[in-house]
C-alpha cells in the first residue's frame, strides 16, 4: 500500500490489549522519498509487531513537501512528527504510557524524518506555544536517509524536501549527522551495504557521529538486502535484524 499527496496529517493508534501494555511506545514514520508513504510494510505491519511485544505504536501519516501548498515545505514533515511526539507525551495517562519511553522510528526518508526529530528537538518548529518536550527517548532507523550533502544523500529525498538548488545552510541544517549532540537519544540502525537507493554511508556517518558524542548506538550492516525491505519477513537472513532490535529493546528496558 502506498499513499501520496498527503496534505492532512494523521496519527494512527495501535494499542496492545490493556493487560499487556508495558508502557513503552513508538511513533513510526514510513518512507517513500518524501513523495509517497509506504505506509503498510513500513508502518502498519511494524506497529502490529510492536503490539505483540506490549509496546504501543503510532503510525504517522505525515504531510509530504509540496511547493504549491506550503510556504516552508522543508519543516512541514518535522512539524507533524514533533506534534506526534507532543501528542503522545500529553496523553500518557489515557494510553497507559511511560513518558520517559517514547521513541521514534523511521525507514528511508522516514528515517531522515525520525533522525531529524532526534536531533532538532531543542528548537521545535512552527508556532505552537506548548512547552511539552518533543525529544524522543530512543530512535530506530531502517536504511535511513540521514545526510542532505550531495555526495551522500538520496537525491530524490533531498530535492523533494529542500528543492533543486538549496542553500548550503539549509543542506547542513538537515544533514543530521552534523546535528548530533550528547543529548541525542540512544539509537538503533540497520542498513544493507548493497543499498543502491540510499548509500550505506548515511548510516555509517550517523553512527560515527553518535559514538563521537557519547550517545549509545548500535548498528547492524548486512552484506545484501537492497532497500525498502521493512521487516524483511521473506528473507531468513535479513529478517534477523528484527531479532537484533528485540535484543536492543530488551537491553534498554523498552520491551
Amino acid at each position: 500500500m502506498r499513499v501520496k499527496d498527503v496534505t492532512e496529517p494523521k496519527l494512527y493508534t495501535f494499542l496492545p490489549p490493556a493487560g499487556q501494555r508495558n508502557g513503552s511506545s513508538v511513533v513510526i514514520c514510513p518512507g517513500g522519498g518524501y513523495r509517497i508513504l509506504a505506509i503498510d510494510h513500513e508502518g502498519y505491519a511494524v506497529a502490529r509487531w510492536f503490539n505483540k511485544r506490549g509496546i504501543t505504536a503510532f503510525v504517522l501519516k505525515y504531510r509530504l513537501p509540496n511547493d504549491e501548498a506550503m510556504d516552508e515545505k522543508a519543516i512541514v514533515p518535522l512539524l507533524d512528527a514533533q506534534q506526534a511526539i507532543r501528542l503522545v507525551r500529553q496523553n500518557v495517562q489515557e494510553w497507559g504510557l511511560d513518558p520517559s519511553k517514547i521513541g521514534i522510528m523511521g525507514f528511508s526518508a522516514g528515517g531522515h524524518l525520525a533522525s531529524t526529530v532526534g536531533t532538532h528537538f531543542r528548537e521545535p518548529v512552527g508556532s505552537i506555544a506548548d512547552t511539552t518536550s518533543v525529544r524522543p527517548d530512543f530512535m530506530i532507523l531502517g536504511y535511513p536517509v540521514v545526510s542532505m550533502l550531495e555526495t551522500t544523500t538520496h537525491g530524490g529525498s533531498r530535492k523533494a524536501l529542500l528543492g533543486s538548488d538549496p542553500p548550503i545552510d539549509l543542506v547542513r541544517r538537515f544533514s543530521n549527522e552534523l546535528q548530533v549532540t550528547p543529548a541525542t537519544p540512544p539509537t538503533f540502525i540497520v542498513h544493507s551495504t548493497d543499498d543502491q537507493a540510499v548509500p550505506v554511508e548515511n548510516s555509517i556517518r550517523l553512527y560515527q557521529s553518535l559514538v563521537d558524542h557519547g550517545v549509545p548506538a548500535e548498528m547492524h550492516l548486512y552484506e545484501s538486502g537492497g532497500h525498502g525491505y521493512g521487516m524483511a519477513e521473506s528473507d531468513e537472513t535479513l529478517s534477523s535484524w528484527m531479532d537484533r532490535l528485540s535484543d536492543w529493546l530488551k537491553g534498554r528496558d523498552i520491551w
Side-chain angles (χ1 to χ4, degrees), residues 1-251:
M1 183 187 299
R2 305 286 189 273
V3 296
K4 63 178 183 177
D5 301 327
V6 180
T7 56
E8 180 181 354
K10 293 184 181 295
L11 190 64
Y12 298 98
T13 305
F14 289 75
L15 297 172
Q20 299 177 21
R21 299 176 200 170
N22 63 16
S24 299
S25 60
V26 60
V27 174
I28 304 169
C29 305
Y34 283 121
R35 294 185 180 277
I36 63 167
L37 298 179
I39 204 164
D40 193 1
H41 78 290
E42 292 179 355
Y44 303 148
V46 183
R48 290 189 287 269
W49 182 90
F50 278 109
N51 280 178
K52 291 178 181 178
R53 288 147 184 83
I55 299 171
T56 300
F58 303 87
V59 176
L60 176 62
K61 187 168 79 171
Y62 53 92
R63 286 174 291 174
L64 298 170
N66 185 309
D67 288 313
E68 296 179 359
M70 303 168 183
D71 293 331
E72 294 183 83
K73 69 174 184 176
I75 69 167
V76 170
L78 178 58
L79 180 63
D80 294 345
Q82 288 184 337
Q83 178 66 355
I85 296 289
R86 188 180 287 115
L87 285 171
V88 173
R89 189 158 276 132
Q90 289 172 340
N91 290 278
V92 292
Q93 291 188 341
E94 177 182 349
W95 289 317
L97 303 178
D98 185 334
S100 67
K101 295 182 180 181
I102 301 171
I104 190 84
M105 181 179 194
F107 296 87
S108 192
H112 181 266
L113 178 56
S115 63
T116 307
V117 175
T119 54
H120 289 68
F121 53 84
R122 293 181 184 275
E123 298 179 357
V125 294
S127 58
I128 297 174
D130 188 282
T131 58
T132 302
S133 172
V134 295
R135 178 188 181 273
D137 298 297
F138 59 92
M139 288 197 294
I140 303 169
L141 307 176
Y143 39 90
V145 180
V146 173
S147 184
M148 290 286 120
L149 297 175
E150 196 166 6
T151 56
T152 309
T153 192
H154 171 248
S157 296
R158 170 176 148 140
K159 182 178 180 180
L161 185 68
L162 305 184
S164 299
D165 188 22
I168 188 60
D169 60 331
L170 192 64
V171 170
R172 293 183 65 83
R173 177 186 175 189
F174 286 98
S175 292
N176 295 326
E177 77 278 19
L178 304 179
Q179 306 303 326
V180 173
T181 72
T184 300
T187 302
F188 179 97
I189 308 170
V190 63
H191 214 131
S192 298
T193 304
D194 69 345
D195 191 330
Q196 298 299 307
V198 177
V200 71
E201 284 81 5
N202 282 266
S203 289
I204 293 172
R205 291 186 182 190
L206 176 62
Y207 175 79
Q208 188 62 61
S209 186
L210 292 166
V211 171
D212 290 346
H213 287 84
V215 177
E218 181 168 320
M219 180 171 64
H220 294 270
L221 300 182
Y222 288 79
E223 178 182 357
S224 60
H227 186 77
Y229 42 79
M231 294 188 292
E233 293 173 296
S234 62
D235 186 317
E236 182 176 355
T237 299
L238 193 57
S239 64
S240 67
W241 85 265
M242 298 299 291
D243 296 328
R244 305 292 74 76
L245 174 59
S246 295
D247 294 339
W248 186 79
L249 292 170
K250 291 176 182 177

